[in-house]
Structures are given as C-alpha cells and as structure tokens.
C-alpha cells in the first residue's frame, strides 16, 4: 500500500537541519486553499460530488505532477486504519479535519514529503508545502508553481473582488496561510513572549503554541502565521511575516544571551539535567519530553552540547507522539505503556553513539 | 482551601486527573487552573471559532426582531441561507459570495483589518478574461463620449473593436482556456 513508506519513522525532508536560522526557526509551511467551480464546497456537497472532485483533482495531480518532477502517491483517507491516519496527522501531512470528514477525501504526497495536497478538506484543494528552517520564499515558490500548473487544468473558483473563493471567510482572497515554527525558550523563560503575542496580533499576524491555543506552548514551540488573506498580495504577506519573524529571532537571541550571561550555572544545570532525563529515564510523558527536548535543543544552540545532532531532536519531536509510538511498537499502548515506550525511544536514539560524558563537553 | 500549586490564592477549582491508572485530585486557584495545560486540552472546542464570532457580530435579532424587514437571503446554487452561513461560519459554494455580497464587506472588514478586496494572484486564464473585460468597459465609455460628440465614425470603429473583443471573450470561454 502506498501509505506504508510515509508511516515509517524516517525523517521528512522538512525535519532536517540544514537551513538558515534553523536553531530558532524550525520549519516553514505555506498552505494555499482552492476550490473548483461547478461543485459545491465541502460543507454542502454530496458524497457523489466529493468522489467526482477527488477523482478530478487527483488525476490532474498524478498526471501533471511529473512536469514538476513530483511523483505523487495518492492515499484515500477512508482506506486508512485509524492509527495510520493519526500518524499522518502527527507528521503534519494531513489535518485532523480531513480525518474526521464525513465525505470522501484523499491526500497526495510527494516522495520527500515536502508537498502534501489534501483533497476535500475544508476546501476542495489544500496545497501544503513544507520546508526546514526559515524559508518562506522557497516554500511559497514550490506551492505556487504547483498551483499555477494545476490552474491550467482545473477551473478554480475565483472572484474579481474576493479573489480565490474558500469555504471560510477568513481564507478568502489569496487563500494563503504562511507559517513559521519557532523555538523560543528564552523569550518564554523571561515571560517576554506574553508581551510579544498581543503586539503581533495587532499587525494582522498570529502566534500560537503548536499543540493548540493554550497560553503556554508545549516545548516552547510557537507558530507565527498571517491572519489576513484579503487586501494584501502574497508578496506583501510574506514580506510582513518575514520581517516579523526576523525580529522575533533577534529578540530570542538577545534573551538567550542575557540568560547565559546572568545565570550561566543555572542554565547549564537545566540543560544537562534535561539531557540526563532524556537519556536515562524509564517513563516520559509527552509534556516532560517536550520540555526536556526544548532544554537540550537550547543546549545545542548555545554550544554546551556538541556531539548531538539537532535533526535527531526534530525527529523525536514527531516520533514521540502517541500514534507514532504505537505504530512503532506495532500494538495499541495504554498511556503508561506509551510513557515507557517513549522513554525507550529516547534512550535508543540519543545513546546510539559513544557520546562523551557530559562533563567533558564543558569548557 | 489554599491552591495546591501556588500555595497563595484560595482554590476555586477541583481538577481530577488520571495518572498512571490513579485518580489524582488537585485543588487549584483560577490562575493556576488556567495555566494547566492538561485542562486546556479538555476544551476541544475552539473558544474563538469563526461561527461564534460571526453570530455575535450579527445576532439573529437583525432578522427576527423586525419582521417587516425580514428578508431571507438564500444562495440559489447550494441553498445556504445567510443565517446558515452565520451559524456555520462557512460558505456552501462559490455562488454564496454573490448571494450574500451585500453583507460581506462588513464581515471581511472585521476579519481582514478593514480590507475587502483581493490584491494577490489572479489565475492566468482568468487574468486574460479580466483584462479583456476591463478593455471592453473602457471602449464602451469612449464610445458614449463619441456619440455625445456626434463623432459617429469613431464610435462605429470603437463598436467594432468591442465586438471583436467580445467574440474573443466568448471564444476563450468556449474552448476552456
């Protein structure tokens, strides 16, 4: 089955670690929402129409994807087992909305998992392009190229005044949502993030924790994205988001310097204590794992830890989630068994090499 | 009772959590409870969902309290009424945009910081059509001026140009480009 390869715990290319500013900006995502003319939108279409939309879009993608060197795999959502769906959600390749949809839908994935096209999510078509690090322009270029190719073969719902027509009024216009995932431990520790978040929202952008709207982001990871899709061109939206992200990155760097300067011992203790927990514990909850990962990540950025590859941490952030662990163990796991499996996964991945004892890394 | 977490404020919430098979009960104050991640997860419904915002901005009263003005706008294509759109916060099809258009400026203004018009990408095929449409509009205006000035020769020339462009528009639509 086509889906198997995407379920394996191997890193998608957007989880790698070779891009600019990757120490703080972990990954970039562009999403374009599109609908076809002559079909009702997913909130009102029938199963019959859903199937037709799926067939029309999928056949164009499978056929024309080659022109851009994409060999897409087509996966029907209803053919997947519940656990398989959850794994794809945890990998950010499909949305929970698509999983819970009452109508036929599918996802088309490029081999390197940089492109994921959902059919019959909230809109007929959602093109998602993922890149490692802070690469808004590159992620947009990839999504936009595919969009232009598709539009030659599909008839998009478009309006002179309102632009691309979408199910939700918050997406109309460009249909574009651009977002950057940021690791902001120092701004969180120093409580500056609470002041930054409302300031950003006044400029038509939003910041939220990646696991939801909770005030404290799990693992100090935040997502910043554009809120406006009407009244600004794609170019302007990306520029604004880029400027804002750069400023936040600078603020985070300043906050890190300040913490490293003011309380180096406390920081060092925190980093190594967390490394100890991740490499030696027997039970790890998602929350603790996320917090400790954040500390170790910071330790690598600050060159305290030098023999650990950041991309392993990126992978672990994804693979430590419940569905992945169960897929890996090949059986359903109770919460406590998951905590055990999670701890085991961390020990295996982080103790792989003959790492120096922590003390020797100290200057 | 004092909050188990901060030990300062008085507790106002009892939180029961299942941890490793055991039920743990904690008494928290409103501040600590709000910060508690596992509690927040329990609120699956987004407190700021679009449909909730919309129905608060456009309460049903608009339609129900003044029966004289009560007009039920319905999308001819998908059958969504304006009130259904408000309730769901979603459009049923592309025709809804035209059907509800008298109310949309106000809605878009609120969601998009006062903006109501698309400034971004235009599909290539649509771009050509749009350009031709605008050209025709322009030529028609010029034609009116010529007629008023009794320059019928020029008006006839412009009329032919409009005809040619209209044919192009129809031809383009017919072969689907």
């Amino acid at each position: 089955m086509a889906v198997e390869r995407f379920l394996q715990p191997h890193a998608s290319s957007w989880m790698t670690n070779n891009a600019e500013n990757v120490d703080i900006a972990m990954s970039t995502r562009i999403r374009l929402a599109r609908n076809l003319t002559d079909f009702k939108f997913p909130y009102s279409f029938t199963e019959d129409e859903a199937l037709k939309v799926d067939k029309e879009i999928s056949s164009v993608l499978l056929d024309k994807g080659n022109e851009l060197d994409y060999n897409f795999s087509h996966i029907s959502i209803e053919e997947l087992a519940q656990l398989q769906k959850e794994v794809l959600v945890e990998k950010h390749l499909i949305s929970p909305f698509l999983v819970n949809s009452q109508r036929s839908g599918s996802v088309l994935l490029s081999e390197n998992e940089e492109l994921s096209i959902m059919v019959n999510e909230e809109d007929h078509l959602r093109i998602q392009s993922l890149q490692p690090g802070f690469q808004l322009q590159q992620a947009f270029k990839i999504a936009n190229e595919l969009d232009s190719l598709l539009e030659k073969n599909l008839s998009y719902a478009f309006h002179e005044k309102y632009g691309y027509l979408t199910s939700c009024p918050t997406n109309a216009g460009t249909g574009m949502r651009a977002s950057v995932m940021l690791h902001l431990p120092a701004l969180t520790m120093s409580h500056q993030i609470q002041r930054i978040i409302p300031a950003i929202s006044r400029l038509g952008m939003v910041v939220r924790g990646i696991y939801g709207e909770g005030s404290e982001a799990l693992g100090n990871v935040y997502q910043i994205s554009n809120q406006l899709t009407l009244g600004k061109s794609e170019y302007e939206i990306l520029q604004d988001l880029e400027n804002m992200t750069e400023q936040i990155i600078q603020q985070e760097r300043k906050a890190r310097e300040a913490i490293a300067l003011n309380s180096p011992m406390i920081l060092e203790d925190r980093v190594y204590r967390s490394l100890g927990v991740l490499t030696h514990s027997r039970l790890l909850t998602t929350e603790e794992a996320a917090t400790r990962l954040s500390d170790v990540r910071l330790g690598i950025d600050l060159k305290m830890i030098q023999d650990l590859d950041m991309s392993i941490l990126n992978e672990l952030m994804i693979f430590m989630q419940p569905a992945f662990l169960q897929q890996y163990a090949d059986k359903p796991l109770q919460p406590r068994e998951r905590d055990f499996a999670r701890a085991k996964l961390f020990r295996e991945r982080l103790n792989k090499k003959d790492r120096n004892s922590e003390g020797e890394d100290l200057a | 009772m004092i909050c188990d977490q901060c030990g300062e404020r008085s507790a106002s919430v009892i939180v029961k959590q299942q941890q490793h098979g055991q039920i743990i009960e904690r008494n928290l104050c409103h501040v600590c409870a709000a910060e508690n991640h596992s509690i927040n997860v329990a609120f699956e419904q987004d407190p700021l969902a679009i449909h909730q915002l919309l129905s608060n901005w456009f309460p049903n009263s608009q339609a129900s309290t003044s029966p004289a003005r009560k007009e039920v706008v319905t999308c001819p294509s998908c059958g969504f009424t304006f009130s259904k759109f408000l309730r769901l916060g979603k459009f049923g099809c592309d025709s809804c945009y035209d059907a509800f258009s008298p109310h949309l400026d106000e809605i878009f203004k609120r969601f998009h910081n006062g903006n109501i018009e698309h400034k971004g990408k235009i599909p290539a095929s649509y771009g050509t059509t749009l350009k031709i449409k605008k050209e025709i509009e322009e030529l028609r205006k010029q034609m009116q001026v010529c007629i008023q000035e009794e320059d019928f020769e020029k008006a006839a020339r412009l009329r032919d140009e409009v005809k040619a462009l209209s044919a192009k528009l129809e031809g383009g639509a017919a072969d689907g480009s």
Side-chain angles (χ1 to χ4, degrees):
Chain A
M1 196 180 179
V3 70
E4 296 301 338
R5 60 184 306 263
F6 300 107
L7 300 174
Q8 298 308 311
H10 71 83
S12 311
S13 72
W14 61 270
M15 294 177 210
T16 56
N17 193 41
N18 46 12
E20 210 181 320
N21 276 317
V22 76
D23 54 335
I24 294 173
M26 303 163 70
S27 62
T28 306
R29 185 182 75 123
I30 298 280
R31 183 268 280 154
L32 301 175
R34 302 287 186 252
N35 286 287
L36 306 186
T37 52
D38 305 326
F39 291 99
K40 284 176 213 146
F41 290 173
Y43 280 95
S44 68
F45 66 4
T46 59
E47 175 62 17
D48 188 43
E49 283 173 297
L51 284 167
K52 278 186 191 153
V53 169
D54 192 1
K55 204 171 163 200
E56 190 168 334
I57 294 177
S58 301
S59 61
V60 171
L61 273 164
L62 291 171
D63 185 33
K64 299 286 169 185
N66 303 336
E67 281 182 35
L68 295 174
D69 271 343
Y70 292 117
N71 186 10
F72 287 113
S73 302
H74 177 263
I75 300 162
S76 285
I77 297 304
E78 54 195 356
E79 285 170 18
L80 297 179
Q82 187 58 31
L83 188 63
Q84 295 179 318
K85 294 179 199 173
E86 286 169 23
V87 168
L88 293 182
V89 170
E90 289 178 357
K91 244 177 158 180
H92 302 291
L93 295 176
I94 60 174
S95 66
F97 188 96
L98 185 66
V99 168
N100 297 324
S101 168
Q102 305 295 312
R103 302 262 178 259
S104 286
S106 63
V107 60
L108 291 110
L109 297 171
S110 69
E111 268 168 72
N112 60 8
E113 300 174 27
E114 276 180 13
L115 266 173
S116 142
I117 297 111
M118 286 186 276
V119 181
N120 293 341
E121 209 248 19
E122 187 178 280
D123 296 294
H124 293 148
L125 189 60
R126 289 219 160 172
I127 302 171
Q128 180 178 260
S129 140
L130 290 154
Q131 286 289 308
F134 181 30
Q135 300 195 76
L136 280 167
Q137 301 296 343
Q138 175 64 7
F140 177 68
K141 186 171 165 263
I142 291 171
N144 191 40
E145 267 175 11
L146 184 69
D147 178 54
S148 298
L149 180 75
L150 289 178
E151 119 196 349
K152 285 185 200 157
N153 301 280
L154 296 167
S155 167
Y156 280 162
F158 185 85
H159 193 283
E160 282 177 31
K161 182 175 173 188
Y162 304 124
Y164 291 95
L165 304 180
T166 53
S167 287
C168 189
T170 57
N171 292 320
T174 60
M176 181 178 81
R177 190 83 59 216
S179 54
V180 184
M181 205 102 94
L182 298 168
H183 181 227
L184 306 174
L187 286 176
T188 312
M189 274 184 233
S190 56
H191 301 291
Q192 291 179 68
I193 195 78
Q194 276 104 323
R195 289 194 295 126
I196 291 175
I197 290 175
I200 289 172
S201 64
R202 268 178 242 131
L203 297 166
M205 285 166 261
V206 220
V207 187
R208 55 168 75 97
I210 51 164
Y211 296 99
E213 311 265 331
S215 54
E216 196 95 331
L218 195 57
N220 303 320
V221 178
Y222 299 83
Q223 179 181 287
I224 172 168
S225 53
N226 66 304
Q227 194 161 36
L228 302 186
T229 52
L230 208 55
K232 279 196 214 172
S233 69
E234 288 82 355
Y235 176 78
E236 289 170 306
I237 293 171
L238 292 177
Q239 280 290 314
D240 287 353
L241 192 60
E242 207 161 71
N243 287 339
M244 180 57 74
T245 307
E246 271 163 16
Q247 286 186 45
I248 296 175
I249 290 176
Q250 275 174 23
Q251 292 299 322
E252 169 67 19
R253 288 202 200 289
K254 272 188 204 160
R256 286 181 183 189
E257 278 167 28
I259 291 173
L261 195 71
N262 295 332
S263 34
M265 262 308 158
I266 295 174
L267 186 65
E268 217 163 86
D269 178 67
R270 179 168 168 164
V271 166
Y272 284 108
R273 194 173 284 273
S274 290
L275 183 62
V277 169
L278 291 187
T279 48
H280 289 89
S281 63
R282 261 52 183 173
L283 289 171
L284 263 181
T285 62
T286 308
E287 274 151 23
E288 177 161 33
T291 314
R292 304 295 187 179
L293 267 176
S294 169
D295 291 342
V296 171
R297 207 183 163 85
L298 181 62
I300 295 176
D301 288 343
L302 296 175
K303 308 271 189 291
M304 287 180 188
I305 301 171
Q306 299 197 338
D307 57 347
L308 193 56
D309 188 20
M310 188 75 92
S311 55
I312 295 178
L313 301 193
N314 292 351
E315 286 171 38
L316 284 170
M317 274 190 66
I318 303 291
F319 303 152
M320 71 172 195
Q321 298 174 91
F324 249 110
L325 289 175
Q326 296 179 73
Q327 173 83 13
Y328 197 41
D330 205 18
K331 60 176 182 190
L333 300 172
Q334 294 304 307
R336 195 179 185 178
E337 294 174 320
R338 290 207 292 266
D339 292 347
F340 185 75
R342 188 176 293 114
K344 187 162 167 272
L345 171 76
F346 274 86
R347 291 201 308 276
E348 281 172 5
R349 293 294 282 135
L350 295 177
N351 291 327
K352 231 176 183 179
K353 288 179 291 175
D354 269 336
R355 301 182 53 249
N356 297 330
S357 75
E358 286 84 344
E360 288 168 27
D361 289 334
L362 294 176
Chain B
M1 192 178 291
I2 300 293
C3 171
D4 290 344
Q5 194 164 314
C6 62
E8 286 172 13
R9 287 171 290 264
S10 59
S12 56
V13 186
I14 300 172
V15 180
K16 286 184 187 176
Q17 267 179 312
Q18 204 173 10
Q19 232 170 46
H20 308 321
Q22 284 180 315
I23 300 227
I24 297 170
E25 221 178 85
R26 298 206 300 159
N27 299 291
L28 300 179
C29 68
H30 66 287
V31 178
C32 294
E35 283 172 357
N36 192 311
H37 183 76
S38 39
I39 297 180
N40 288 335
V41 172
F43 292 110
E44 276 190 11
Q45 202 173 15
D46 185 348
L48 287 173
I50 302 304
H51 60 93
Q52 279 163 336
L53 296 177
L54 276 174
S55 43
N56 284 338
W57 283 332
F58 298 88
N60 293 335
S61 57
Q62 261 190 353
S64 54
T65 54
S66 53
R69 274 189 61 238
K70 190 175 175 180
E71 36 167 338
V72 181
V73 190
T74 307
C75 171
S77 167
C78 68
F80 264 41
T81 56
F82 185 62
S83 58
K84 185 169 183 185
F85 161 70
L86 291 182
R87 206 168 59 239
L88 276 177
K90 314 285 173 183
F91 294 106
C93 70
D94 50 0
S95 306
C96 288
Y97 279 82
D98 285 322
F100 308 145
S101 112
H103 308 279
L104 289 186
D105 283 1
E106 202 177 336
I107 289 171
F108 284 136
K109 262 186 206 163
R110 298 190 196 204
F111 281 132
H112 299 279
N113 274 9
N115 294 302
I116 50 168
E117 277 190 42
H118 177 58
K119 295 255 173 70
K121 185 177 179 179
I122 296 171
S125 56
Y126 203 92
T128 332
T129 331
L130 197 62
K131 219 174 117 198
I132 297 175
K133 272 190 194 163
K134 293 234 159 109
E135 257 176 80
I136 293 177
E137 243 171 68
E138 185 54 35
L139 290 173
R140 285 211 168 114
K141 272 186 212 155
Q142 287 180 24
M143 212 160 81
Q144 286 304 320
V145 176
C146 291
I147 292 169
Q148 272 165 19
E149 291 172 357
E150 302 191 358
D151 184 353
F152 297 113
E153 207 176 313
K154 195 175 174 192
R157 239 187 3 254
L158 289 169
R159 183 201 55 205
D160 292 344
E161 275 181 54
V162 168
K163 252 191 195 165
L165 282 175
S166 303
K168 203 167 154 189
L169 208 57
E170 278 162 27
D175 65 29
S177 60

